[in-house]
Amino acid sequence: MTGDNNQPPAAWRYSGDQLKRWRTKADVTREKLASAANYSPETIASMERGVRRPTPRVLDIADALCDADGMLSAAKKFLDRERFPARAQDFMEREREATCIWSYEVTYIPGLLQTREYARALIDNHVPLLDEETVEERIAARMERQAVLAERKPPVGLSFVLYEAALRCPLVDGEQLRRLLEAARPRNVVVQVLPFDRVVPAALLGPMVLLETRDYDRFAFTEGSFASELSSDPGVVSRVTERLSMIRTQALDPDESARFIERMVDQRE
């Protein structure tokens, strides 16, 4: 099972197409709509092509300018559902169904363990830049995902291994480090650190997540800078499982990891 990493969500494309059709029919120029909505014409064009999410403000203003009688504004509730990047949609669906999640991260703190401030620093500096509404929606969605840490019944089994480089990033402050310690307190959550001096080649190949559902189906998710893959192929799942197992055996145990993080907190204060 592999998602299309380059295709924007269908709701973006359909709403953008309708936006362009109504604007053209009403003889409203792109420049006029852009000025009324306080966006650049280039941004409106990207919304009409479906590569950028049409914002509620643009849809409401276009609806009024084009006399669309609510037809354009009606798209807002469908667009609100697209709260994650297109390439992550399938993964988020599986994450919500998971009974066990095993994660390894090389560069960043995993989304399920991020503070709001750390998440904002990452999302707000996304390239290409996101509009402010999208930034706020993605931050809120990331925070909502964290309900999996404590609110599921029965609890979801969660195991995180973080390469030391992710902890040494300048964006990681004392609050984020304390968040890791707090998240690891429940019995269903394990946080381990892989120090620089214990790294193995398999740990340098990139981040990965293994998910298991209540039906014991397993999915492997791997992510790169420009492509992501969610796969249920037994061969892929087996390779990711083997890599994760090897990395976990090299990582510090949970108690050692907590002491490692505590020392980092002390060094920051």
Side-chain angles (χ1 to χ4, degrees):
M1 174 180 174
T2 303
D4 186 341
N5 296 312
N6 299 312
Q7 190 79 296
W12 292 19
R13 289 179 280 130
Y14 180 76
S15 298
D17 179 73
Q18 290 299 302
L19 177 63
K20 183 177 181 180
R21 287 175 182 271
W22 277 96
R23 182 181 60 74
T24 302
K25 180 181 178 181
D27 198 26
V28 174
T29 66
R30 187 174 290 144
E31 288 73 19
K32 182 177 180 179
L33 175 57
S35 177
N38 198 28
Y39 283 103
S40 70
E42 291 76 17
T43 297
I44 298 298
S46 67
M47 291 180 186
E48 292 180 346
R49 294 197 306 274
V51 298
R52 184 188 293 266
R53 183 183 69 89
T55 65
R57 183 169 79 248
V58 165
L59 291 170
D60 283 341
I61 290 173
D63 196 281
L65 287 175
C66 301
D67 294 321
D69 196 27
M71 298 295 288
L72 288 173
S73 293
K76 292 188 293 184
K77 64 181 180 180
F78 300 99
L79 291 168
D80 284 345
R81 297 175 186 174
E82 307 289 0
R83 306 185 68 191
F84 302 102
R87 63 182 185 171
Q89 295 287 338
D90 289 340
F91 171 73
M92 298 305 170
E93 288 294 327
R94 297 301 178 186
E95 185 182 75
R96 283 191 286 268
E97 302 169 355
T99 56
C100 292
I101 301 174
W102 298 270
S103 170
Y104 171 65
E105 183 55 69
V106 181
T107 309
Y108 302 111
I109 304 299
L112 294 178
L113 301 179
Q114 292 176 8
T115 62
R116 182 176 292 274
E117 291 69 24
Y118 180 88
R120 179 178 295 280
L122 296 180
I123 296 171
D124 203 31
N125 288 285
H126 182 276
V127 178
L129 289 175
L130 303 172
D131 62 80
E132 192 59 35
E133 289 174 276
T134 300
V135 168
E136 295 301 328
E137 286 179 0
R138 289 196 180 175
I139 292 172
R142 188 164 298 182
M143 295 300 102
E144 289 173 14
R145 283 174 57 206
Q146 297 181 2
V148 70
L149 293 170
E151 296 181 12
R152 296 265 194 93
K153 295 189 182 302
V156 177
L158 295 146
S159 174
F160 302 93
V161 181
L162 286 72
Y163 185 39
E164 184 176 347
L167 303 179
R168 298 291 179 188
C169 173
L171 296 177
V172 176
D173 58 11
E175 181 184 3
Q176 177 62 76
L177 293 172
R178 285 188 289 271
R179 170 62 180 145
L180 297 178
L181 295 170
E182 176 188 348
R185 289 193 182 113
R187 290 182 302 158
N188 63 308
V189 182
V190 173
V191 175
Q192 294 177 261
V193 175
L194 178 67
F196 289 136
D197 59 7
R198 291 196 179 194
V199 70
V200 291
L204 300 177
L205 297 178
M208 57 195 146
V209 180
L210 191 66
L211 307 170
E212 184 172 283
T213 70
R214 59 174 51 90
D215 295 323
Y216 305 107
D217 294 322
R218 285 195 172 190
F219 297 86
F221 181 71
T222 55
E223 186 171 14
S225 298
F226 302 104
S228 304
E229 179 183 17
L230 179 69
S231 177
S232 60
D233 179 85
V236 175
V237 170
S238 177
R239 289 193 294 274
V240 169
T241 301
E242 185 176 355
R243 282 178 57 200
L244 276 169
S245 298
M246 182 181 301
I247 291 168
R248 290 177 70 192
T249 62
Q250 294 300 312
L252 301 175
D253 69 36
D255 289 338
E256 291 174 322
S257 297
R259 290 192 290 271
F260 187 99
I261 296 171
E262 286 168 355
R263 288 194 296 272
M264 290 189 66
V265 172
D266 292 339
Q267 293 168 2
R268 301 285 178 97
E269 296 178 344

